[in-house]
Amino acid sequence: QPLAARQAALARRHAAVAVTNDALLRTTQAYLELQRAATDLAISDEARANSQHLVNLTAAYAETSQGLVADADRARAELSLRAVDALRSQEAVQVASARLAQLLRLSPCVQLTPIDDALVPIEPVPLDACLGELVAEGLTARPEVGENRHLVEEAIARMRRERYSVLLP
């Protein structure tokens, strides 16, 4: 009986690790989405600033008759498109922030911002590692596999107990 109880406890511990890993994965993905949205916003803001500079230049040339009014109009149209892109990027940042806040069980009104300005490459495993070894290691390290192994061991311990229980008074 104690052996079966230990196996059941170990199985529950592995299940808890699996749930923790899933929560960490979802949170990491939400953070990376927030970081991507923030990077897109920075790019949109820079494009809008460049478009504004182009509008100022073409308008100045059009006023002095050194440039065409049509060029100034096209630059203003481009600026309005860039402004819309910037608003969409701001919306994407707010949505990503709210999703991350939800996963972290924070108020969705909290505006989260990424720590880094740009995505930093992550190398979780050496690039020269053998793929077959990585797959084998990953499959054996899965908490679900450990949970199932301990559940089987618990069932075996209970089966042995029941088999020999008729012989003991």
Side-chain angles (χ1 to χ4, degrees):
Q1 185 68 19
L3 178 61
R6 275 195 305 273
Q7 296 300 334
L10 287 171
R12 283 190 210 86
R13 189 174 302 137
H14 283 287
V17 168
V19 169
T20 301
N21 287 349
D22 289 342
L24 288 173
L25 176 64
R26 285 191 309 274
T27 305
T28 301
Q29 289 171 334
Y31 176 76
L32 290 175
E33 179 60 27
L34 174 64
Q35 196 168 32
R36 186 203 57 77
T39 302
D40 287 349
L41 177 61
I43 292 169
S44 295
D45 286 343
E46 184 177 351
R48 184 179 53 185
N50 290 341
S51 293
Q52 182 63 53
H53 181 67
L54 184 62
V55 165
N56 295 342
L57 285 175
T58 55
Y61 277 111
E63 287 175 6
T64 61
S65 298
Q66 292 180 345
L68 298 174
V69 175
D71 290 338
D73 291 341
R74 276 194 291 276
R76 278 193 287 279
E78 181 69 21
L79 177 61
S80 66
L81 290 174
R82 297 296 161 220
V84 169
D85 286 344
L87 287 174
R88 286 184 183 149
S89 295
Q90 287 174 350
E91 177 186 3
V93 168
Q94 290 173 350
V95 167
S97 174
R99 286 186 181 147
L100 180 58
Q102 181 183 25
L103 286 172
L104 296 174
R105 302 210 191 295
L106 300 172
S107 169
C109 298
V110 173
Q111 182 65 35
L112 301 173
T113 57
I115 295 172
D116 298 324
D117 291 337
L119 290 174
V120 178
I122 300 170
E123 188 178 317
V125 294
L127 295 177
D128 59 342
C130 176
L131 182 62
E133 292 174 7
L134 291 175
V135 169
E137 182 182 341
L139 289 175
T140 57
R142 297 272 314 164
E144 295 88 351
V145 173
E147 176 189 10
N148 290 335
R149 185 182 71 237
H150 289 294
L151 288 174
V152 167
E153 290 173 3
E154 175 194 10
I156 290 170
R158 289 187 188 278
M159 183 184 72
R160 284 185 185 147
R161 188 191 75 199
E162 293 300 323
R163 182 182 304 157
Y164 295 115
S165 67
V166 294
L167 301 175
L168 298 174

